[in-house]
Coordinates of all heavy atoms in Angstrom, one line a residue:
G10 N 7.4 5.1 4.8 CA 8.3 5.7 3.8 C 9.0 4.6 2.9 O 9.1 4.8 1.7
A11 N 9.4 3.5 3.5 CA 10.0 2.4 2.7 C 8.9 1.8 1.7 O 9.2 1.5 0.6 CB 10.5 1.4 3.6
G12 N 7.7 1.7 2.2 CA 6.6 1.2 1.3 C 6.3 2.1 0.2 O 6.1 1.7 -1.0
T13 N 6.3 3.4 0.5 CA 6.1 4.4 -0.6 C 7.2 4.4 -1.6 O 6.9 4.5 -2.8 CB 6.0 5.8 0.0 OG1 4.9 5.8 1.1 CG2 5.6 6.8 -1.0
S14 N 8.4 4.3 -1.2 CA 9.5 4.2 -2.1 C 9.4 2.9 -3.0 O 9.7 3.0 -4.2 CB 10.9 4.2 -1.3 OG 11.0 5.4 -0.6
A15 N 9.0 1.8 -2.4 CA 8.8 0.6 -3.2 C 7.7 0.8 -4.2 O 7.9 0.3 -5.4 CB 8.5 -0.6 -2.3
V16 N 6.6 1.4 -3.9 CA 5.6 1.7 -4.9 C 6.1 2.6 -6.0 O 5.7 2.4 -7.1 CB 4.3 2.2 -4.2 CG1 3.3 2.7 -5.2 CG2 3.7 1.2 -3.3
A17 N 6.9 3.6 -5.6 CA 7.4 4.5 -6.6 C 8.3 3.8 -7.6 O 8.4 4.2 -8.7 CB 8.1 5.6 -5.9
R18 N 8.9 2.7 -7.1 CA 9.8 1.9 -8.0 C 9.0 0.9 -8.9 O 9.6 0.2 -9.7 CB 10.9 1.2 -7.2 CG 11.9 2.1 -6.5 CD 13.0 1.2 -6.0 NE 12.6 0.2 -5.1 CZ 12.5 0.4 -3.7 NH1 12.8 1.5 -3.2 NH2 12.1 -0.6 -3.0
G19 N 7.7 0.8 -8.6 CA 6.9 -0.1 -9.4 C 6.6 -1.4 -8.7 O 6.0 -2.3 -9.3
D20 N 7.0 -1.6 -7.4 CA 6.7 -2.8 -6.7 C 5.4 -2.6 -6.0 O 5.3 -2.1 -4.9 CB 7.8 -3.0 -5.7 CG 7.6 -4.3 -4.9 OD1 6.7 -5.1 -5.3 OD2 8.4 -4.5 -3.9
Y21 N 4.3 -3.1 -6.6 CA 3.0 -2.9 -6.1 C 2.6 -4.0 -5.1 O 1.4 -4.0 -4.6 CB 1.9 -2.8 -7.2 CG 2.3 -1.7 -8.2 CD1 2.2 -1.9 -9.5 CD2 2.6 -0.4 -7.7 CE1 2.5 -0.9 -10.4 CE2 2.9 0.6 -8.6 CZ 2.9 0.4 -10.0 OH 3.2 1.4 -10.8
G22 N 3.4 -5.0 -4.9 CA 3.1 -6.1 -4.0 C 3.5 -5.8 -2.6 O 3.2 -6.6 -1.7
V23 N 4.1 -4.6 -2.3 CA 4.4 -4.3 -0.9 C 3.2 -4.0 -0.1 O 2.2 -3.4 -0.5 CB 5.4 -3.1 -0.9 CG1 4.8 -1.9 -1.4 CG2 6.0 -2.9 0.5
R24 N 3.2 -4.5 1.2 CA 2.1 -4.2 2.1 C 2.6 -3.8 3.5 O 3.7 -4.3 3.9 CB 1.2 -5.5 2.3 CG 0.5 -5.9 1.0 CD -0.5 -4.9 0.5 NE -1.2 -5.4 -0.7 CZ -0.8 -5.2 -1.9 NH1 0.3 -4.5 -2.1 NH2 -1.5 -5.7 -2.9
L25 N 1.9 -3.0 4.2 CA 2.3 -2.5 5.5 C 1.5 -3.2 6.6 O 0.3 -3.6 6.3 CB 2.1 -1.0 5.7 CG 2.9 -0.1 4.7 CD1 2.6 1.3 5.0 CD2 4.4 -0.4 4.8
Q26 N 2.0 -3.4 7.8 CA 1.3 -4.0 8.9 C 0.5 -2.9 9.6 O 1.1 -2.0 10.2 CB 2.2 -4.6 9.9 CG 2.9 -5.9 9.3 CD 3.8 -6.6 10.4 OE1 4.0 -6.1 11.5 NE2 4.4 -7.7 10.0
A27 N -0.8 -2.9 9.5 CA -1.7 -1.9 10.2 C -1.9 -2.4 11.6 O -2.8 -3.2 11.9 CB -3.0 -1.8 9.4
Q28 N -1.2 -1.8 12.5 CA -1.3 -2.2 13.9 C -2.1 -1.1 14.7 O -1.8 0.0 14.7 CB 0.1 -2.3 14.6 CG 1.0 -3.3 13.9 CD 2.4 -3.4 14.5 OE1 2.7 -2.5 15.4 NE2 3.2 -4.3 14.1
G29 N -3.2 -1.6 15.3 CA -4.0 -0.7 16.1 C -5.1 -0.1 15.3 O -5.4 -0.5 14.1
H30 N -5.7 1.0 15.8 CA -6.8 1.7 15.2 C -6.5 3.2 15.1 O -7.5 4.0 14.9 CB -8.1 1.4 15.9 CG -8.4 0.0 16.0 ND1 -8.9 -0.8 15.0 CD2 -8.2 -0.9 17.0 CE1 -9.1 -2.0 15.4 NE2 -8.7 -2.1 16.6
D31 N -5.3 3.7 15.3 CA -5.0 5.1 15.3 C -4.9 5.6 13.9 O -5.1 4.9 12.9 CB -3.8 5.4 16.1 CG -2.6 4.6 15.7 OD1 -2.7 4.0 14.6 OD2 -1.5 4.7 16.4
E32 N -4.5 6.9 13.8 CA -4.4 7.5 12.4 C -3.3 6.8 11.6 O -3.5 6.7 10.4 CB -4.1 9.0 12.6 CG -5.3 9.8 13.0 CD -5.6 9.7 14.5 OE1 -4.8 9.0 15.2 OE2 -6.5 10.3 15.0
L33 N -2.2 6.4 12.2 CA -1.1 5.8 11.5 C -1.6 4.4 11.0 O -1.2 4.0 9.8 CB 0.1 5.6 12.3 CG 0.9 6.9 12.7 CD1 2.0 6.7 13.6 CD2 1.3 7.6 11.4
A34 N -2.4 3.7 11.8 CA -2.9 2.4 11.3 C -3.9 2.6 10.1 O -3.9 1.9 9.1 CB -3.6 1.7 12.4
Q35 N -4.7 3.7 10.2 CA -5.6 4.0 9.1 C -4.8 4.4 7.9 O -5.2 4.0 6.7 CB -6.6 5.1 9.5 CG -7.5 4.7 10.7 CD -8.4 5.9 11.1 OE1 -8.3 7.0 10.6 NE2 -9.1 5.7 12.2
L36 N -3.7 5.1 8.1 CA -2.9 5.5 6.9 C -2.3 4.2 6.3 O -2.2 4.1 5.1 CB -1.8 6.5 7.4 CG -0.8 7.0 6.3 CD1 -1.6 7.7 5.2 CD2 0.2 7.9 6.9
A37 N -1.8 3.3 7.1 CA -1.3 2.0 6.6 C -2.3 1.3 5.8 O -2.0 0.7 4.7 CB -0.7 1.2 7.7
Q38 N -3.6 1.2 6.3 CA -4.6 0.5 5.6 C -4.9 1.2 4.3 O -5.1 0.5 3.3 CB -5.9 0.5 6.5 CG -5.7 -0.4 7.7 CD -7.0 -0.3 8.6 OE1 -7.9 0.4 8.4 NE2 -7.0 -1.1 9.7
A39 N -5.0 2.5 4.3 CA -5.2 3.3 3.0 C -4.0 3.0 2.0 O -4.3 2.9 0.8 CB -5.3 4.8 3.3
F40 N -2.8 2.9 2.6 CA -1.7 2.6 1.7 C -1.8 1.2 1.1 O -1.6 1.0 -0.1 CB -0.4 2.7 2.5 CG 0.9 2.3 1.7 CD1 1.5 3.2 0.9 CD2 1.3 1.0 1.7 CE1 2.7 2.9 0.2 CE2 2.4 0.6 1.0 CZ 3.1 1.6 0.2
N41 N -2.2 0.2 1.9 CA -2.4 -1.1 1.4 C -3.5 -1.2 0.3 O -3.4 -1.9 -0.7 CB -2.7 -2.1 2.5 CG -1.6 -2.2 3.5 OD1 -0.4 -2.0 3.1 ND2 -1.8 -2.6 4.7
H42 N -4.6 -0.4 0.6 CA -5.6 -0.4 -0.4 C -5.1 0.3 -1.7 O -5.5 -0.2 -2.8 CB -6.8 0.4 0.1 CG -8.0 0.5 -0.8 ND1 -8.8 -0.5 -1.1 CD2 -8.4 1.6 -1.5 CE1 -9.7 -0.1 -2.0 NE2 -9.5 1.1 -2.2
M43 N -4.4 1.3 -1.6 CA -3.8 2.0 -2.8 C -2.9 1.0 -3.6 O -2.9 0.9 -4.8 CB -3.0 3.2 -2.4 CG -2.4 3.9 -3.6 SD -1.1 5.2 -3.0 CE 0.1 4.1 -2.4
A44 N -2.0 0.3 -2.8 CA -1.1 -0.7 -3.5 C -1.9 -1.8 -4.1 O -1.5 -2.2 -5.2 CB -0.1 -1.2 -2.4
T45 N -2.9 -2.3 -3.5 CA -3.8 -3.3 -4.1 C -4.4 -2.8 -5.4 O -4.5 -3.5 -6.4 CB -4.8 -3.8 -3.1 OG1 -4.2 -4.2 -1.9 CG2 -5.7 -4.9 -3.7
S46 N -4.9 -1.6 -5.4 CA -5.6 -1.0 -6.6 C -4.5 -0.8 -7.7 O -4.8 -1.1 -8.8 CB -6.2 0.3 -6.2 OG -7.2 0.2 -5.2
L47 N -3.4 -0.4 -7.3 CA -2.3 -0.2 -8.3 C -1.9 -1.5 -8.9 O -1.7 -1.6 -10.1 CB -1.1 0.6 -7.7 CG -1.3 2.0 -7.4 CD1 -0.1 2.6 -6.7 CD2 -1.7 2.8 -8.7
Q48 N -1.8 -2.5 -8.1 CA -1.4 -3.9 -8.5 C -2.5 -4.4 -9.5 O -2.2 -5.0 -10.5 CB -1.2 -4.8 -7.4 CG -0.6 -6.1 -7.7 CD -0.3 -7.0 -6.5 OE1 -0.9 -6.8 -5.5 NE2 0.7 -7.8 -6.6
A49 N -3.7 -4.2 -9.1 CA -4.8 -4.7 -9.9 C -4.8 -4.0 -11.3 O -5.1 -4.6 -12.3 CB -6.2 -4.5 -9.2
A50 N -4.6 -2.6 -11.2 CA -4.6 -1.9 -12.4 C -3.4 -2.3 -13.3 O -3.6 -2.4 -14.6 CB -4.4 -0.4 -12.1
Q51 N -2.3 -2.6 -12.7 CA -1.1 -3.0 -13.5 C -1.4 -4.4 -14.2 O -1.1 -4.6 -15.4 CB 0.1 -3.1 -12.6 CG 1.4 -3.5 -13.4 CD 2.5 -3.8 -12.5 OE1 2.4 -4.4 -11.4 NE2 3.7 -3.3 -12.8
T52 N -2.0 -5.3 -13.4 CA -2.4 -6.6 -13.9 C -3.4 -6.5 -15.0 O -3.3 -7.1 -16.1 CB -2.9 -7.5 -12.8 OG1 -1.9 -7.6 -11.8 CG2 -3.3 -8.9 -13.3
A53 N -4.4 -5.6 -14.8 CA -5.4 -5.4 -15.9 C -4.8 -4.8 -17.1 O -5.2 -5.2 -18.2 CB -6.6 -4.5 -15.3
R54 N -3.9 -3.9 -16.9 CA -3.3 -3.3 -18.1 C -2.5 -4.3 -18.9 O -2.5 -4.3 -20.1 CB -2.4 -2.1 -17.6 CG -1.7 -1.3 -18.8 CD -1.0 -0.1 -18.3 NE 0.1 -0.4 -17.4 CZ 0.2 -0.2 -16.1 NH1 -0.9 0.3 -15.5 NH2 1.2 -0.5 -15.4

């Protein structure tokens, strides 16, 4: 939730620690991928 709030404020450099291989770890990895894509899109823009 803290990472999502940071992205909503425009801070695309935030990353989560993906611990393990469960659904929450997969969700953290998907969040990091989304943040990376948004950061790349912001830089490209």
Side-chain angles (χ1 to χ4, degrees):
T13 304
S14 300
V16 170
R18 293 191 303 268
D20 182 10
Y21 304 134
V23 63
R24 297 293 184 271
L25 301 180
Q26 293 183 356
Q28 301 176 353
H30 303 281
D31 56 7
E32 287 77 2
L33 289 178
Q35 296 175 5
L36 182 60
Q38 293 175 358
F40 176 87
N41 293 337
H42 180 71
M43 178 194 68
T45 302
S46 300
L47 290 175
Q48 188 176 28
Q51 183 186 42
T52 302
R54 183 173 64 251

